[in-house]
């Protein structure tokens, strides 16, 4: 399974709003497999299709210690969220090296479809609840740095753009050899 390219903030494609999945076919299963390989390789505990430039409502999560319990959420909806909130040090594969506190509902109930198109519900707390909400933000075109102050967000944007320019320069040097 090929590893997919993860878009890096502030790539504007990360802000596209994902459309509902309509066809539960072989293409979808291959996409899930390629996203899972990409997530485990990163490594990460979640990945939204938006991050690999596929703008469909699909996210995957594996919060198991052994990294052998993949969960697939298609067209997910949060049907209930607790009043209680949790502050969690979040990161993002699209914003490598940046971790900061984000406050979210501590528990959520989610309705989604599985890869066969069958509906299911999940009640989540802890890391799973945080990750589901983080990934669902991606499907709405939102990156977690948007919860931070404008000063922090602008510093992160400048740093990511600088790193991208350096990476492109390194790639051109390798190509020139
Ligand atoms: O969306 C992503 O880039 C995947 C995130 C999922 C995540 C976001 C916030 C909090 C936890 C997980 C990546 O897995 S970031 C790596 C990571 C892993 C465990 C805990 C925190 C960050
Ligand atoms: Zn993310």
């Amino acid at each position: 399974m090929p590893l997919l390219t993860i878009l890096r903030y502030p790539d504007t494609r990360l802000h596209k709003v994902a459309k509902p999945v309509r066809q539960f076919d072989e293409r979808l299963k291959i996409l899930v497999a390629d996203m899972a390989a990409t997530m485990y390789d990163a490594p990460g505990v979640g990945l939204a299709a938006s991050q690999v430039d596929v703008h469909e409502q699909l996210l995957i999560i594996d919060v198991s210690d052994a990294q052998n319990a993949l969960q697939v959420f298609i067209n997910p909806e949060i049907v209930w969220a607790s009043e209680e909130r949790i502050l969690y040090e979040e990161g993002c594969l699209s914003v490598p090296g940046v971790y900061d506190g984000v406050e979210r509902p501590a528990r959520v109930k989610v309705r989604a479809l599985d890869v066969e198109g069958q509906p299911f519900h999940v009640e989540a707390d802890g890391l799973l609840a945080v990750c589901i909400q983080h990934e669902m933000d991606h499907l709405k075109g939102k990156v977690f740095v948007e919860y931070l102050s404008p000063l922090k967000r602008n510093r992160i944007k400048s740093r990511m753009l600088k790193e991208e320019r350096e990476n492109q320069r390194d790639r051109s040097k390798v190509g020139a050899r």
Side-chain angles (χ1 to χ4, degrees), residues 110-171:
V110 179
R111 178 187 188 279
L113 303 179
D114 66 18
V115 74
E116 305 295 342
Q118 293 307 304
F120 67 94
H121 287 79
V122 165
E123 291 191 24
D125 61 4
L127 177 56
L128 181 58
V130 170
C131 199
I132 286 172
Q133 294 173 84
H134 177 109
E135 303 309 338
M136 287 183 67
D137 272 351
H138 276 302
L139 300 182
K140 289 180 278 191
K142 187 165 186 172
V143 182
F144 88 101
V145 297
E146 295 171 49
Y147 290 98
L148 308 181
S149 68
L151 178 64
K152 279 188 176 179
R153 188 164 58 247
N154 289 333
R155 282 178 175 163
I156 291 164
K157 190 175 288 185
S158 301
R159 185 181 351 143
M160 295 298 293
L161 289 171
K162 180 172 177 285
E163 285 176 9
E164 188 56 31
R165 284 194 300 274
E166 288 166 355
N167 292 341
Q168 281 175 347
R169 193 167 51 239
D170 294 346
R171 284 195 292 268

